[in-house]
Amino acid sequence: MKKIALLTSGGDAPGMNAAIRAVVRSGIYYGMEVFGIERGYAGLIEGNVIPMEMRSVSNIVQCGGTKLRSARCMEMLTVEGQKKAVDTLEKYGIEGLVVIGGDGSFRGAEVLSRDYGVPTIGIPGTIDNDLAYTDYTLGFDTAVNTCLDIINKLRDTMTSHERVSVVEVMGRRCGDIALYSGIASGAEIIVVPEIAFDMNEIIAKINRSRAHGKHSTLIVVAEGVMGAEEFAKRLQAGTEHDVRPTCIGHVQRGGSPSMSDRMLAAQFGNKAIRLLNDGVGNRVVGIRDNKIIDMDIIEAVSMKKEFNYELYETLQMISM
Ligand code: F6P
């Protein structure tokens, strides 16, 4: 394979730039001509193709966001849009594609592989950690660390005023950001979409922890359950403690990637190119049990993510 392209798609994630760098430099190492597609599938449809050189990716390993920019593209769901995307690839003689993105982006990659025969490799780039086939997605670790940083600051003021803090984190329909940031920040309660909650039980738990001498309460709520404002309003209706909502929002999508995300980016990007260089397409790369793996793209997108109930129970046992 001599000419390949890469794009970043969907919500950006810290580590995408480090992955772009790894893909471009590994491709050049194997003698490939590498093109960047700007603005994800929208750019592929519109023909926003730029050549990527060794120096195009200098000084970006530490940067959040994505140098190629990203977009959510509804047109890629239509046959017309897909044909335009394939036309762009043909126009530049591009033989293989690397897609860095989440679930929705992988579905676009699956269509290009299955229906149009374009060898495509997916790199899991999303803060949500909602892909079943890989233990971690690129950006998740940094996003959780950003949440921790903010929660640490909140704790200071919440403890001073003996308040209940309701913190909303992202994750779409997946509770992993809430689960990990809840455990790592020492939250008393986490509320995730995977497990039904009962407001009366939450109030009882707040009362128990206050009886055990705690001066404040931290509740981490995943956005897939409800917003912090709404949750705090309902909770306030049932407790005399002072409740305050905080939505971390898009801050958790930005920032310099952590060591873990940079390491994943280097390995995912390199593995994607090794596969294309071996003439292998229609795969996604990931990490399982600390090993870099690859898997059939259709199989990967059809797997159902399992919630880590053991971690959830751990929080119940150590949060009092
Ligand atoms: O998929 C990443 C993510 O940040 C989700 O956690 C969140 O639900 C969504 O994207 C927000 O999307 P947007 O940036 O389009 O508002």
Side-chain angles (χ1 to χ4, degrees):
M1 207 170 280
K2 284 289 158 219
K3 283 189 185 184
I4 62 132
L6 79 156
L7 60 82
T8 50
S9 163
D12 63 350
M16 278 187 167
N17 276 322
I20 292 171
R21 173 177 176 266
V23 168
V24 170
R25 296 228 170 129
S26 303
I28 293 170
Y29 176 89
Y30 282 113
M32 296 170 175
E33 199 176 336
V34 185
F35 294 92
I37 316 281
E38 294 178 316
R39 302 176 48 251
Y41 290 115
L44 185 58
I45 289 168
E46 287 160 24
N48 304 141
V49 181
I50 53 167
M52 301 293 280
E53 316 289 348
M54 204 68 105
R55 295 274 77 78
S56 322
V57 291
S58 292
N59 211 16
I60 64 167
V61 72
Q62 78 283 14
C63 298
T66 158
K67 184 186 164 72
L68 289 173
R69 303 199 298 283
S70 192
R72 299 193 196 277
C73 177
M74 301 317 273
E75 207 183 340
M76 193 60 196
L77 300 176
T78 68
V79 173
E80 205 192 357
Q82 292 157 10
K83 284 188 175 154
K84 283 191 202 162
V86 174
D87 285 348
T88 303
L89 294 173
E90 282 174 358
K91 182 175 160 197
Y92 287 86
I94 293 164
E95 302 153 285
L97 182 67
V98 177
V99 171
I100 307 172
D103 194 30
S105 313
F106 280 7
R107 292 193 189 271
E110 179 204 332
V111 169
L112 286 175
S113 310
R114 190 193 53 210
D115 297 348
Y116 300 92
V118 179
T120 305
I121 307 290
I123 293 179
T126 167
I127 63 165
D128 297 339
N129 209 38
D130 58 351
L131 293 165
Y133 79 93
T134 181
D135 291 343
Y136 295 107
T137 57
L138 201 55
F140 171 70
D141 182 69
T142 308
V144 170
N145 279 302
T146 301
C147 292
L148 292 180
D149 198 32
I150 291 166
I151 292 170
N152 289 342
K153 293 186 168 93
L154 265 175
R155 261 187 180 286
D156 294 342
T157 170
M158 291 299 153
T159 307
S160 305
H161 290 272
E162 303 187 330
R163 283 175 171 156
V164 178
S165 186
V166 176
V167 183
E168 175 191 336
V169 297
M170 282 185 168
R172 215 172 276 276
R173 287 170 297 279
C174 177
D176 276 19
I177 298 180
L179 179 65
Y180 283 66
S181 55
I183 290 181
S185 65
E188 281 74 29
I189 297 160
I190 63 163
V191 191
V192 291
E194 292 87 348
I195 298 176
F197 76 95
D198 175 343
M199 198 58 96
N200 291 326
E201 270 177 30
I202 288 177
I203 291 167
K205 185 154 190 196
I206 294 171
N207 293 337
R208 275 201 305 277
S209 81
R210 296 293 170 122
H212 287 142
K214 283 211 167 178
H215 296 299
S216 63
T217 313
L218 174 60
I219 306 178
V220 179
V221 182
E223 67 170 353
V225 176
M226 74 177 73
E229 291 268 355
E230 177 63 19
F231 192 93
K233 206 165 95 188
R234 292 197 201 175
L235 177 57
Q236 190 65 86
T239 180
E240 74 279 8
H241 299 296
D242 212 5
V243 184
R244 289 288 189 278
T246 302
C247 174
I248 297 182
H250 285 81
V251 174
Q252 72 205 278
R253 278 238 302 262
S256 184
S258 64
M259 179 277 282
S260 301
D261 280 330
R262 294 184 201 196
M263 291 301 292
L264 281 185
Q267 295 176 93
F268 285 169
N270 184 258
K271 179 75 174 177
I273 292 298
R274 283 174 193 256
L275 290 168
L276 286 179
N277 190 54
D278 290 343
V280 179
N282 318 336
R283 312 283 290 176
V284 287
V285 299
I287 185 162
R288 216 186 286 145
D289 299 328
N290 231 8
K291 287 200 171 55
I292 301 298
I293 53 127
D294 62 284
M295 180 185 245
D296 180 80
I297 196 163
I298 296 171
E299 199 185 327
V301 294
S302 56
M303 279 173 75
K304 197 176 163 342
K305 167 98 180 167
E306 280 182 25
F307 185 69
N308 191 332
Y309 289 95
E310 198 175 324
L311 267 185
Y312 182 79
E313 282 165 14
T314 302
L315 177 119
Q316 309 306 316
M317 292 182 212
I318 66 177
S319 66
M320 286 306 282

